[in-house]
């Protein structure tokens, strides 16, 4: 078995939805990001699953990621909690479990804040405002936990460019191919700026 150099946990954002690959499946930001780091596909483990919540990551994906801990790990999850059966205490507890389990001297962990998904969806304005409050609360929790655990956070929730419709697919939930590429480039820039590295050598 090849040594895994990059593991990414999460939902359909990680899976790559919105960025179809030729033939079948998805390309997505994970493969684009890995390519920028010169990592062969066999050294990348993408655990992203459509519909995954923070609880699903805790119950299943986290264990797989910890078996052979990669030197670089990404996590993008939480939107399905926020648009579904949201429990703020469970949400915060799950995020803390995920990031405190993954971080350490032997790995760099990357994540991203939650963008204005409610602004992309055809919602009644009153409900949109309520959802935006929920997303803001979730981002506050994420900021606290990433600071406490030393996780690197790409703060797309505060970047105006992520309000550009061109970065989103028609469903408003998943990035377009342009959005996936932009996210991959931004993650690579964050990784390079904070670690001083521009790539990872594959074992």
């Amino acid at each position: 078995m090849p040594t895994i150099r990059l593991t990414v946990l999460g939902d359909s954002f990680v899976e790559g939805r919105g960025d179809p690959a030729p033939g079948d499946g998805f390309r997505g930001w994970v493969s684009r990001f890995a390519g920028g780091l010169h990592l062969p596909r066999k050294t990348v483990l993408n655990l992203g699953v459509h519909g995954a919540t923070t609880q699903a990551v805790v119950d299943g994906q986290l264990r797989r990621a910890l078996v052979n801990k990669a030197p670089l790990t990404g996590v993008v999850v939480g939107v399905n909690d926020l648009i579904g059966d949201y429990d703020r205490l469970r949400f915060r507890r799950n995020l803390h479990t995920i990031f405190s389990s993954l971080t350490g001297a032997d790995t760099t962990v990357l994540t991203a804040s939650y963008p204005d998904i409610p602004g992309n969806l055809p919602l009644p304005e009153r409900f949109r405002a309520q959802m935006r409050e929920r997303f803001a609360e979730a981002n506050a929790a994420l900021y606290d936990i990433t600071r406490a655990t030393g996780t690197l956070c790409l703060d797309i929730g505060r970047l105006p460019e992520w309000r550009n419709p061109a970065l989103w697919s028609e469903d408003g939930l998943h990035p377009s191919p342009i959005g996936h590429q932009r996210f991959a480039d931004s993650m690579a820039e964050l990784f390079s700026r904070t670690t001083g590295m521009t790539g990872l050598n594959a074992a």
Side-chain angles (χ1 to χ4, degrees):
M1 290 289 292
T3 300
I4 298 300
R5 306 294 291 168
L6 168 65
T7 297
V8 188
L9 306 83
D11 52 27
S12 53
F13 193 105
V14 171
E15 183 189 29
R17 297 212 175 210
D19 187 13
D24 191 24
F26 307 101
R27 187 178 181 191
W29 71 267
V30 174
S31 66
R32 295 172 182 271
F33 176 61
L37 297 179
H38 312 295
L39 290 175
R41 184 178 302 178
K42 64 184 180 181
T43 67
V44 178
L45 178 61
N46 185 333
L47 298 174
V49 175
H50 180 63
T53 61
T54 58
Q55 191 65 54
V57 170
V58 169
D59 291 343
Q61 296 183 30
L62 185 57
R63 190 177 305 110
R64 292 186 62 189
L66 292 173
V67 170
N68 291 298
K69 201 172 180 184
L72 181 57
T73 303
V75 182
V76 180
V77 70
V79 168
N80 290 312
D81 299 65
L82 298 173
I83 64 175
D85 180 23
Y86 177 63
D87 180 310
R88 61 171 56 87
L89 294 179
R90 178 181 62 201
F91 180 81
R92 178 181 278 270
R93 181 176 64 247
N94 287 342
L95 287 184
H96 185 269
T97 297
I98 292 166
F99 291 112
S100 63
S101 298
L102 292 171
T103 52
D106 57 345
T107 188
T108 298
V109 182
L110 299 161
T111 191
S113 61
Y114 304 107
D116 184 25
I117 296 292
N120 295 344
L121 304 178
L123 303 173
E125 283 306 315
R126 183 175 179 180
F127 185 58
R128 190 193 314 278
Q130 292 173 346
M131 291 298 294
R132 278 177 164 157
E133 289 180 4
R134 182 179 290 186
F135 272 64
E137 180 181 81
N139 272 326
L142 182 69
Y143 298 146
D144 287 345
I145 293 166
T146 54
R147 281 194 296 266
T149 58
T151 300
L152 304 181
C153 183
L154 177 64
D155 197 2
I156 66 173
R158 291 175 174 165
L159 294 178
E161 69 176 315
W162 281 92
R163 301 190 189 103
N164 182 350
L167 297 184
W168 296 96
S169 60
E170 290 184 3
D171 65 11
L173 289 168
H174 304 102
S176 64
I178 294 173
H180 276 281
Q181 184 63 61
R182 180 59 188 148
F183 190 82
D185 292 343
S186 297
M187 275 294 195
E189 191 277 331
L190 174 64
F191 174 73
S192 175
R193 174 164 44 85
T194 55
T195 67
M197 301 169 63
T198 58
L200 287 176
N201 294 322

